[in-house]
Amino acid sequence: MTEKTQGGFLISQIKQISGRIFDKLLVGSGIEAFNRAQGRILYVLWQADGVPIVELSHKTGLAKTTLTSMLDRMESADLITRVFDKTDRRQIRIALTEKSRQLSDAYDKVSREMNEIFYAGFTDDEIFAFEETLGRILKNLNEKERRT
């Protein structure tokens, strides 16, 4: 393996800069009900509502302790609600509110705009190869985290 690689450093920079741009796009689109981190949670819920906290943690990459405090704030802002599972009352599912459902289309528009910025000048093949590579890196990191 090459000794002087910068992948982790570049990913960190991309995350920081793209986050700032995404925040500006959210505000520019009139979405002030939630921040980008909360948007990750809502994005998962817009794909499948009523997700258990453990699954939400896995899908967002957020630690359960971080997620719990974020969910508290989101519940106070009427973006989510906690619902007891009908078959197992020990398990709590996170569900969307009507307020957050109404924000889905605006968020999707911002996400499309972000993708246009992110992939400007890329071919479809380059995008596919890039995302496949990132998926492999994520798999490696998840496996390492499970072993430690």
Side-chain angles (χ1 to χ4, degrees):
M1 180 185 310
T2 305
E3 283 186 35
K4 290 198 170 205
T5 61
Q6 296 184 34
F9 178 72
L10 293 171
I11 289 170
S12 179
Q13 282 189 305
I14 290 167
K15 181 179 185 271
Q16 294 299 316
I17 295 168
S18 66
R20 289 193 299 267
I21 293 169
F22 197 75
D23 284 342
K24 288 178 184 176
L25 293 174
L26 284 174
V27 171
S29 294
I31 300 174
E32 297 180 10
F34 59 88
N35 60 36
R36 101 180 89 103
Q38 293 169 336
R40 272 195 324 200
I41 294 167
L42 291 173
Y43 178 79
V44 170
L45 294 171
W46 286 322
Q47 309 309 305
D49 199 4
V51 176
I53 293 175
V54 172
E55 184 178 336
L56 194 56
S57 173
H58 175 72
K59 287 185 175 185
T60 61
L62 296 168
K64 286 181 229 165
T65 53
T66 302
L67 185 59
T68 300
S69 61
M70 288 178 70
L71 292 174
D72 289 342
R73 288 190 297 279
M74 291 174 74
E75 190 168 34
S76 294
D78 192 36
L79 293 169
I80 60 103
T81 185
R82 290 174 168 96
V83 180
F84 286 103
D85 188 297
K86 291 176 181 156
T87 59
D88 181 358
R89 292 198 42 85
R90 294 171 295 172
Q91 187 174 75
I92 298 173
R93 294 182 174 272
I94 306 303
L96 295 166
T97 62
E98 188 56 37
K99 178 180 178 179
S100 60
R101 282 188 191 93
Q102 291 176 359
L103 295 168
S104 175
D105 289 341
Y107 186 84
D108 286 345
K109 183 178 180 259
V110 170
S111 291
R112 285 191 301 274
E113 195 174 343
M114 191 67 200
N115 276 339
E116 289 172 14
I117 294 166
F118 203 78
Y119 290 122
F122 282 73
T123 66
D124 287 349
D125 287 343
E126 289 172 324
I127 293 168
F128 176 77
F130 173 68
E131 290 190 353
E132 184 177 50
T133 301
L134 287 177
R136 289 174 55 200
I137 291 169
L138 182 59
K139 180 180 178 250
N140 290 343
L141 292 172
N142 280 327
E143 287 175 2
K144 177 64 175 177
E145 185 176 46
R146 277 193 294 273
R147 288 192 308 259
T148 57

